[in-house]
Amino acid sequence: MHFEYKTLRVRRKASEQAEEKSAEKTSKMEDEDENSSYKLCSSVDLDKDLVDWRKPLAWQVGNLREKYDAWVHQPVDRPIRLFGNPLMEAATKTSWYWVPVVWLPIVFYLGWHCYTTLAQGNTRLELTSDFSIPIPKHVFPVLFMMGWFLWTFIEYCIHRFVFHMKPPAHNYYLITLHFLLHGQHHKSPYDGSRLVFPPGLASIVVSLFYMSLCKTLPETLGTSVFVGGLCGYVVYDMIHYYLHYGSPKRGSYLYSLKAYHVKHHFEHQRSGFGITTTFWDHPFNTVIPDEKF
């Protein structure tokens, strides 16, 4: 009896040790996976690089001309200084929490305003001069999701056609503009102070989005769609930040998005433009090839 108990205890101890080793191995694999994207960044040779990293880069990159496109898509893991003027430099940096702090109160206020306005039962959609249909409050969630879906398309278009435009090699100003808008992010993808839009710059796009909707639809309906789109933008910026600095669980949706985005940064800069979703990459034929994550 004593021998059986001792044997059982030995087996249990061996089983616990095996589980501990397995857990350590899994943890190590996850840590290596999380840090692998950092390892893809190259180091900077301050004496041989095409730009002088000891000086602000904004006014240097335009001189790279035909070398700019290859240079900007060789990521480094170091912060970038764009301007020598401290105020201009500070204006280009934004902590991630300012995005929800600035925009979510607007989302909540306008969302409540639109819902209560629709609840009054006075909102109608005029199809012709003699015919209109009432819009009840229950339609608000539909309008909200339409706005969110519309934002995913805008997100894709901005990322593909604006942020990833290929500036002419002879045009100093377009190269500089591209670097300020998005090139600096691809050159230094882990510069945490420039992973979300500064509210001032974002307000330009937000205002254009709002005015376009309110000119296309009745004010309450347009604002309802706008609220959904604005919420989608906040989620986009938060997800983008998380894809660079977060550690999503293996097999989760965010894990697949992070793997997809890493591929975009380090291997396929001309495809994989979706951030919060890869949906629009499919109809526009920009899905990253051989997508196996």
Side-chain angles (χ1 to χ4, degrees), residues 174-185:
L174 281 181
I175 291 175
T176 302
L177 178 63
H178 176 267
F179 187 70
L180 293 176
L181 285 176
H182 197 61
Q184 47 83 19
H185 173 56

Side-chain angles (χ1 to χ4, degrees), residues 86-190:
L87 292 177
M88 292 180 66
E89 179 69 7
T92 67
K93 296 182 177 182
T94 307
S95 298
W96 68 268
Y97 53 80
W98 281 113
V99 174
V101 165
V102 170
W103 298 114
L104 283 185
I106 298 175
V107 170
F108 292 137
Y109 172 76
L110 289 180
W112 178 250
H113 171 73
C114 291
Y115 181 80
T116 54
T117 301
L118 291 173
Q120 295 174 7
N122 300 321
T123 305
R124 304 183 70 88
L125 178 62
E126 295 186 5
L127 301 179
T128 66
S129 56
D130 300 322
F131 181 72
S132 64
I133 56 176
I135 307 297
K137 62 182 180 181
H138 309 294
V139 176
F140 176 76
V142 177
L143 297 171
F144 184 91
M145 294 309 300
M146 285 175 58
W148 195 318
F149 183 71
L150 180 59
W151 162 256
T152 63
F153 177 68
I154 295 172
E155 167 197 317
Y156 175 89
C157 290
I158 291 176
H159 191 192
R160 179 181 179 181
F161 299 111
V162 179
F163 289 169
H164 278 274
M165 67 173 178
K166 191 172 182 180
H170 63 275
N171 196 312
Y172 172 93
Y173 298 103
L174 281 181
I175 291 175
T176 302
L177 178 63
H178 176 267
F179 187 70
L180 293 176
L181 285 176
H182 197 61
Q184 47 83 19
H185 173 56
H186 269 262
K187 188 62 182 176
S188 182
Y190 295 103

Side-chain angles (χ1 to χ4, degrees), residues 143 146-148 150-151 154 205-230:
L143 297 171
M146 285 175 58
W148 195 318
L150 180 59
W151 162 256
I154 295 172
V205 178
V206 169
S207 298
L208 291 173
F209 183 50
Y210 176 75
M211 290 187 291
S212 299
L213 288 172
C214 287
K215 283 187 175 293
T216 306
L217 299 169
E219 183 178 357
T220 303
L221 302 187
T223 304
S224 298
V225 175
F226 167 76
V227 170
L230 184 58

